[in-house]
Amino acid sequence: MTTSKKSKAYSPVKPAVHDIPAKAPATAPSPPLSPVEDNQDGTGVIGLDPWLEPYKGGLIHRYSQYKSWKHKIALEGGYEKFSRGYEKFGFQITKTGITYREWAPNAIGAYLFGDFNNWNPLSHPMKRDQYGVYEIELPNNADGTPAIQHNSKVKITMVKPDGSRIDRLPAWIHRVTQDLSVSPTYDAIFWNPPTKYQWKNKAPRKPTSLKVYEAHVGIATTEGRVGLFTEFTANVLPRIKKLGYNTIQLMAVMEHAYYASFGYQVTNFFAASSRYGNPEELKELIDTAHGLGITVLLDVVHSHACKNVLDGLNNFDGSEHQYFHEGPKGRHELWDSRLFNYSSYETMRFLLSNLRFYMEEYRFDGFRFDGVTSMMYLHHGIGYGFSGNYNEYFGDTVDIEAVVYLMLANDMLHTLYPESITIAEDVSGMPTLCRPVSEGGVGFDYRLSMAVPDMWIKLLKEKSDDEWDIGNIVFTLTNRRYKEPSIAYCESHDQALVGDKTIAFWLMDKEMYTHMSTLTHLTPIIDRGLALHKLIRLVTHALGGEGYLTFIGNEFGHPEWLDFPRAGNNSSFHYARRQWNVVDDHLLRYKFLNEFDAAMNRAEEQIGWLSAPQAYVSLKHEGDKVLAFDRAGAVFIFNLHPTQSFADYRIGVPEAGEYMIALNSDESQYGGHNRVSNDSKFFTTPEPWAGRNHFIQVYIPCRTALVLVKKA
């Protein structure tokens, strides 16, 4: 979720395996700070980036805030105990009964009610402690069954200081359901199935080359309705495996009242969305993915919360400041949502426990943190164009409390789960974002390279092919912070949404409706579209970062756009689905793009360029529109010229020897013209060329890419 359409992305200048059936953290409760941390002041990052030296004071200040929080957390047993709030609050089930706890300091009275007591709002009062935590114990029935029946509805009713009553859904509830024929408001469900899901597979090891498939379960069906967890498990997971992606990023899992919000207006933080099925079915999805060797990340939304009162966190205990800031500081004017108070002790417990809950209960392998820019700045990035001036990252506009929360979240996850993965969605270019917390960094493993899709869309919208600036393409793809890993992508869900166009649609537009059949004439527009779709993806994959991401369906050039059912489209699901039928139809050209995407990932698996150091770019020829670089020992050659092919074209290579083709975008199985034989051999000449000591000569047709590897 980008911060704002007005925000401008800035491109900066320069293992524990999950156990079965239970998963234990990798470390035992620890002292407040490790000896290393205690001797650190947060300035270790300056060693990598001397431009940070004038902001040493800011680094020391935020690190001191981080250390202060770790000392507080240590008083409750460190991360290990503090982050298990979900085992104290909400409904706790034992052999003898049920205990329900809720923190509601503004309330002067509280009662539990629901189906179990015929919705009597007075029969089950709760006891309050000195901290504003309300508690009630419900012993088992005489026959030993729980006092609250599985899958029944519950609520908490509270008395405000003025004597009025408010009804709310429990804040830590694990399941809520919505019956739109009755009301858009959710009902809280007591989830206690008699048979728990039995985990079968261990999680795979942390990938060294992260290839991410961004997916939304609800749209992952061809039918005009909401897709299900079970359908995704059966139908989509095999596709992802076949394509060669080793990681899935699941969107819109945390419960959200408004489907069209894409999951970014969360109402119930501990509840997986009931639209797609029940909690056990989500566990089966993740377990099956693990069995296929696929890592699963959750798109987590801790940047803001839905402003709903009746079924959300807003005004939960009758006050607006319980989990959020009061006044304007507690409201996001663009998203119309509430903003967390990260300096609040119980808010910190709630959010850290939320992360821990998804790691433990559902066995996610990590998180993509949404809206990180909005969190880190008091202006939330609204209408703000980041220039790269370091004052923007350490000045008065930075929300230190939020940055420290992100430091703690990353530190907790990497301490308890060393193989967990965290990704930041940030358009600002914040330095130190992906450096370890012990150095003074924010602690993420990766950041999204959000300037890259902006560049591709701008090129396709505003420039003809012969106007493409090869130097600028290279600059944008390689311009990332030193030793701060990035995930590159051509397009994500943002570019697929209505109001924008996917790359395939920018390239081929209306001809996708009439000329994608192999039985029809290959028009110049379709020919160009297929070729550039492949080249854009490959150059982004190979040059753009230490990870790669695609959005569900875009790998095969999914037609049209994404538009969720809403009032503006008569609640239609027509554009809120994935048309798998077009890629499965062997008479349609979508299959070519799909096959190339899989071949690209297979080539990376063999060569390992994502885990290799940044590429050496040997050639950027603006006139010829030829780009060449080498990475992980492989040589990448791109001819982006619309019409001109080149014979005996000199390309500098890193080592002497014989080179052969590992990937050829012009193969007919990828919709190409077979102008280069895959049996071609390229022998080096021992003369310096393009900064390399050797060169080869190749035939490189127009709109073609070749990946060459040295023969062993």
Side-chain angles (χ1 to χ4, degrees):
M1 184 178 187
T2 52
T3 303
S4 166
K5 288 293 183 184
K6 297 179 183 178
S7 295
K8 187 170 79 175
Y10 165 64
S11 294
V13 178
K14 286 191 123 168
V17 177
H18 297 178
D19 223 348
I20 300 176
K23 177 169 46 171
T27 58
S30 56
L33 293 164
S34 68
V36 173
E37 284 180 313
D38 218 11
N39 292 326
Q40 297 291 337
D41 62 1
T43 60
V45 289
I46 297 175
L48 282 178
D49 187 354
W51 289 90
L52 291 167
E53 180 66 39
Y55 306 94
K56 183 176 181 179
L59 291 168
I60 292 173
H61 173 64
R62 81 179 188 190
Y63 198 75
S64 70
Q65 297 297 306
Y66 156 76
K67 290 200 292 186
S68 175
W69 262 110
K70 283 205 72 173
H71 278 289
K72 292 177 187 176
I73 291 171
L75 297 178
E76 282 202 40
Y79 290 137
E80 165 59 20
K81 291 186 177 179
F82 185 78
S83 64
R84 289 186 179 272
Y86 56 90
E87 293 181 349
K88 175 182 178 181
F89 295 98
F91 291 92
Q92 305 303 321
I93 304 165
T94 66
K95 292 181 180 180
T96 59
I98 300 168
T99 301
Y100 170 57
R101 298 185 188 91
E102 199 74 71
W103 177 62
N106 186 59
I108 61 172
Y111 303 79
L112 179 65
F113 70 134
D115 289 336
F116 75 97
N117 69 353
N118 295 316
W119 295 98
N120 187 328
L122 299 175
S123 63
H124 287 74
M126 302 176 70
K127 295 180 181 178
R128 175 183 170 128
D129 71 10
Q130 59 183 322
Y131 303 108
V133 176
Y134 285 87
E135 177 180 325
I136 186 172
E137 296 182 6
L138 291 82
N140 286 341
N141 297 320
D143 61 359
T145 59
I148 305 176
Q149 187 176 349
H150 166 62
N151 218 22
S152 62
K153 297 176 182 179
V154 290
K155 270 188 179 181
I156 180 174
T157 181
M158 291 170 279
V159 182
K160 294 169 60 177
D162 63 4
S164 61
R165 279 183 172 268
I166 51 175
D167 297 344
R168 299 288 187 264
L169 304 192
W172 300 70
I173 196 72
H174 292 182
R175 181 165 172 77
V176 297
T177 59
Q178 185 184 47
D179 185 350
L180 289 174
S181 66
V182 177
S183 168
T185 303
Y186 276 99
D187 293 312
I189 302 298
F190 178 72
W191 189 255
N192 183 29
T195 303
K196 311 291 185 184
Y197 182 77
Q198 299 299 309
W199 294 87
K200 303 175 183 66
N201 302 298
K202 288 186 177 182
R205 299 302 300 265
K206 182 178 181 177
T208 54
S209 296
L210 204 67
K211 295 183 280 286
V212 183
Y213 195 85
E214 184 183 40
H216 184 291
V217 171
I219 69 167
T221 174
T222 57
E223 299 179 29
R225 57 174 175 79
V226 178
L228 303 176
F229 288 133
T230 53
E231 294 170 333
F232 192 94
T233 301
N235 303 327
V236 183
L237 286 182
R239 293 179 184 273
I240 297 171
K241 176 66 176 178
K242 187 176 180 181
L243 284 167
Y245 289 92
N246 55 27
T247 304
I248 300 171
Q249 178 187 302
L250 280 182
M251 305 178 65
V253 169
M254 302 167 78
E255 192 59 272
H256 48 290
Y258 185 40
Y259 187 48
S261 74
F262 225 141
Y264 293 121
Q265 290 279 346
V266 175
T267 49
N268 313 96
F269 283 76
F270 289 84
S273 181
S274 59
R275 288 181 180 86
Y276 321 127
N278 65 49
E280 313 311 301
E281 290 164 344
L282 174 56
K283 293 173 186 177
E284 182 186 27
L285 187 162
I286 295 169
D287 193 19
T288 305
H290 285 167
L292 293 171
I294 299 173
T295 294
V296 187
L297 307 181
L298 174 68
D299 194 355
V300 70
V301 185
H302 282 181
S303 49
H304 65 134
C306 179
K307 70 174 184 179
N308 284 15
V309 172
L310 296 180
D311 54 7
L313 278 182
N314 190 19
N315 291 344
F316 180 81
D317 67 354
S319 68
E320 70 167 17
H321 60 268
Q322 184 183 3
Y323 289 102
F324 310 106
H325 287 292
E326 284 188 288
K329 189 177 180 181
R331 289 173 172 78
H332 196 292
E333 64 181 61
L334 188 66
W335 296 342
D336 193 25
S337 54
R338 295 305 312 273
L339 298 173
F340 287 106
N341 179 0
Y342 301 104
S343 67
S344 164
Y345 194 78
E346 291 304 323
T347 299
M348 183 67 73
R349 185 200 306 277
F350 184 86
L351 295 175
L352 292 182
S353 296
N354 193 228
L355 298 174
R356 185 78 182 275
F357 173 78
Y358 282 105
M359 295 292 290
E360 291 284 333
E361 183 69 16
Y362 289 104
R363 304 196 180 186
F364 279 97
D365 303 297
F367 303 92
R368 179 263 201 189
F369 282 73
D370 176 71
V372 168
T373 305
S374 176
M375 295 173 72
M376 294 193 300
Y377 303 95
L378 296 172
H379 52 65
H380 309 300
I382 299 175
Y384 195 92
F386 290 93
S387 67
N389 187 309
Y390 276 44
N391 286 325
E392 297 168 343
Y393 307 126
F394 298 98
D396 295 337
T397 60
V398 176
D399 189 335
I400 295 297
E401 296 168 356
V403 173
V404 169
Y405 162 68
L406 292 171
M407 294 170 71
L408 290 162
N410 279 298
D411 186 57
M412 180 197 79
L413 289 167
H414 293 123
T415 298
L416 298 179
Y417 310 100
E419 294 210 342
S420 62
I421 298 169
T422 59
I423 302 170
E425 186 212 33
D426 171 46
V427 301
S428 74
M430 165 71 81
T432 77
L433 189 65
C434 297
R435 293 305 303 168
V437 175
S438 59
E439 294 179 5
V442 184
F444 285 99
D445 294 300
Y446 298 89
R447 72 195 321 148
L448 293 175
S449 294
M450 300 183 74
V452 173
D454 290 347
M455 173 198 69
W456 289 123
I457 297 300
K458 186 178 178 67
L459 270 180
L460 295 174
K461 285 173 66 174
E462 301 177 4
K463 302 290 184 181
S464 61
D465 294 359
D466 55 6
E467 293 178 316
W468 283 23
D469 186 333
I470 304 299
N472 183 65
I473 292 172
V474 171
F475 176 80
T476 305
L477 288 171
T478 59
N479 189 22
R480 49 192 185 269
R481 294 199 179 278
Y482 181 57
K483 290 199 172 182
E484 293 199 40
S486 297
I487 294 178
Y489 59 103
C490 316
E491 51 189 342
S492 68
H493 65 274
D494 286 319
Q495 287 71 41
L497 285 170
V498 64
D500 207 336
K501 290 183 181 180
T502 62
I503 285 177
F505 223 52
W506 277 113
L507 288 168
M508 296 176 280
D509 205 43
K510 62 183 180 181
E511 287 207 8
M512 295 184 77
Y513 298 114
T514 57
H515 288 83
M516 286 299 278
S517 170
T518 57
L519 302 179
T520 62
H521 172 65
L522 179 63
T523 67
I525 288 177
I526 296 297
D527 189 27
R528 169 183 178 266
L530 295 177
L532 290 182
H533 194 276
K534 292 178 290 184
L535 268 58
I536 287 171
R537 274 166 162 65
L538 180 58
V539 73
T540 302
H541 201 308
L543 193 58
E546 291 69 40
Y548 177 76
L549 177 146
T550 193
F551 177 67
I552 181 170
N554 285 357
E555 68 276 4
F556 63 82
H558 194 282
E560 300 172 329
W561 51 88
L562 179 61
D563 190 12
F564 285 91
R566 54 189 173 85
N569 65 10
N570 294 318
S571 299
S572 172
F573 280 88
H574 182 74
Y575 296 109
R577 60 196 179 103
R578 297 288 87 175
Q579 298 181 48
W580 302 114
N581 53 295
V582 302
V583 71
D584 293 340
D585 189 334
H586 295 295
L587 294 178
L588 295 180
R589 293 185 168 105
Y590 296 98
K591 66 179 181 181
F592 298 141
L593 301 180
N594 197 66
E595 287 300 321
F596 182 77
D597 203 72
M600 182 171 63
N601 284 330
R602 286 196 300 270
E604 195 289 324
E605 188 70 23
Q606 295 166 0
I607 297 169
W609 62 71
L610 288 174
S611 57
Q614 193 159 320
Y616 175 81
V617 180
S618 59
L619 179 65
K620 298 174 287 186
H621 199 295
E622 297 297 343
D624 294 345
K625 301 300 177 190
V626 174
L627 164 64
F629 57 88
D630 53 81
R631 189 177 185 186
V635 179
F636 298 79
I637 309 165
F638 293 82
N639 181 0
L640 293 162
H641 201 286
T643 58
Q644 187 67 52
S645 300
F646 301 100
D648 298 326
Y649 204 90
R650 285 193 181 188
I651 300 293
V653 295
E655 294 182 8
E658 178 185 339
Y659 285 79
M660 55 187 184
I661 294 175
L663 183 63
N664 173 8
S665 73
D666 199 46
E667 280 192 62
S668 59
Q669 65 174 318
Y670 310 138
H673 302 285
N674 281 334
R675 290 170 290 179
V676 180
S677 171
N678 281 343
D679 295 327
S680 301
K681 298 178 181 179
F682 308 93
F683 297 91
T684 57
T685 299
E687 291 181 21
W689 186 262
R692 289 311 202 194
N693 292 327
H694 310 272
F695 70 82
I696 56 175
Q697 291 178 285
V698 302
Y699 171 55
I700 182 72
C702 60
R703 291 179 178 150
T704 296
L706 299 176
V707 181
L708 310 181
V709 293
K710 184 183 172 187
K711 185 177 180 180

